[in-house]
Amino acid sequence: MPKKLIREIAASYGYQRLRNYRQWDDVHFSAEVNGVVIVVNIESGELYERNPFTKKLMKQEEN
């Protein structure tokens, strides 16, 4: 699991202190940040935040 790459992508979006890493498939990984689950696509560098109420992923804009 490429934790360093996931941390670097998340840091570019302003997320720090990731924990509970999980692998979804070959390119998608999730991690928990302050109770919020984020999903990172390591191929394209996109980051999504999971909305716990609608169970959908919302694409985040890079800072």
Side-chain angles (χ1 to χ4, degrees):
M1 181 177 299
K3 289 185 179 181
K4 184 176 182 182
L5 179 59
I6 296 168
R7 277 196 308 268
E8 288 173 359
I9 294 171
S12 69
Y13 285 86
Y15 291 98
Q16 299 173 356
R17 296 190 177 148
L18 279 64
R19 43 189 193 124
N20 296 342
Y21 294 89
R22 291 189 179 95
Q23 183 172 1
W24 287 22
D25 55 29
D26 291 341
V27 295
H28 292 96
F29 294 86
S30 68
E32 187 178 320
V33 184
N34 297 333
V36 177
V37 176
I38 60 169
V39 178
V40 177
N41 182 336
I42 59 170
E43 239 178 40
S44 66
E46 295 176 330
L47 186 137
Y48 302 89
E49 188 174 299
R50 184 175 174 273
N51 185 335
F53 301 107
T54 62
K55 309 282 194 235
K56 294 185 179 180
L57 298 175
M58 298 180 299
K59 187 174 180 181
Q60 299 297 306
E61 297 297 323
E62 194 166 1
N63 293 341

